[in-house]
Amino acid sequence: MRAEKTAPRSRWGGPWPWLFVLPLLAGVLVFYIWPILQTAYYSFTKWGVFGGSKWTGLANYSRLFADPDLYRSLANTAIYTAVVLLGVPIAAWLASLLNTPGLRFAQLYRVLFFLPYVAMPAAVALVWRIIFNGDFGILNWALSRVGIEGPSG
């Protein structure tokens, strides 16, 4: 028996994997990499009200670090981040607590938690129903003021 010779496989698999990855790479370049590079460039320039830029170098950064509001805003951001990050374990703890077997009024707690997610779309639906009401709707009233009569029924 003769062993068939096959061409050694390329490490990169040829052009086909790259063709499949190309749309993703294009999206990353256009929507992530390009805006980051553009923002970095803009941070070293001064822009006029109607366009036109002037290279300022590190002047923008020196003015930024001299501003006392910077440190207050960084502190506010850190506090906000800490509060939000503390909310994640608290929410996980509450979710596990509601899933505890034998918890009294568990169904009531679940309903009270889920109620805002149901009530808001229901309220919006009722408002639109009033707006589009054929007999006394606000839309038909507004259209009648400009000479367009609603359906007669």
Side-chain angles (χ1 to χ4, degrees):
M1 288 190 109
R2 233 171 80 197
E4 290 184 34
K5 289 186 175 182
T6 58
R9 244 185 117 107
S10 167
R11 179 178 177 186
W12 300 104
W16 285 106
W18 292 104
L19 288 175
F20 285 112
V21 174
L22 189 64
L24 175 69
L25 288 177
V28 167
L29 283 173
V30 169
F31 295 110
Y32 288 101
I33 305 298
W34 176 250
I36 290 171
L37 295 176
Q38 195 172 23
T39 302
Y41 169 74
Y42 288 161
S43 73
F44 293 104
T45 59
K46 180 177 182 174
W47 282 79
V49 177
F50 296 108
S53 65
K54 179 183 172 191
W55 183 261
T56 60
L58 294 174
N60 289 339
Y61 288 102
S62 64
R63 195 171 66 239
L64 173 72
F65 288 115
D67 189 0
D69 289 339
L70 170 71
Y71 302 105
R72 189 176 335 131
S73 65
L74 287 176
N76 290 341
T77 302
I79 291 168
Y80 178 78
T81 303
V83 168
V84 168
L85 289 178
L86 279 176
V88 173
I90 291 171
W93 176 72
L94 284 173
S96 66
L97 182 67
L98 284 177
N99 212 18
T100 304
L103 178 67
R104 295 179 65 188
F105 304 112
Q107 296 293 330
L108 176 67
Y109 297 142
R110 289 179 185 146
V111 166
L112 291 176
F113 177 77
F114 195 64
L115 195 59
Y117 297 101
V118 176
M120 197 267 304
V124 170
L126 287 174
V127 168
W128 281 109
R129 186 174 176 189
I130 291 170
I131 290 172
F132 287 124
N133 190 304
D135 296 325
F136 57 87
I138 298 169
L139 182 63
N140 281 336
W141 175 82
L143 289 174
S144 69
R145 293 288 160 211
V146 294
I148 302 173
E149 291 300 320
S152 59

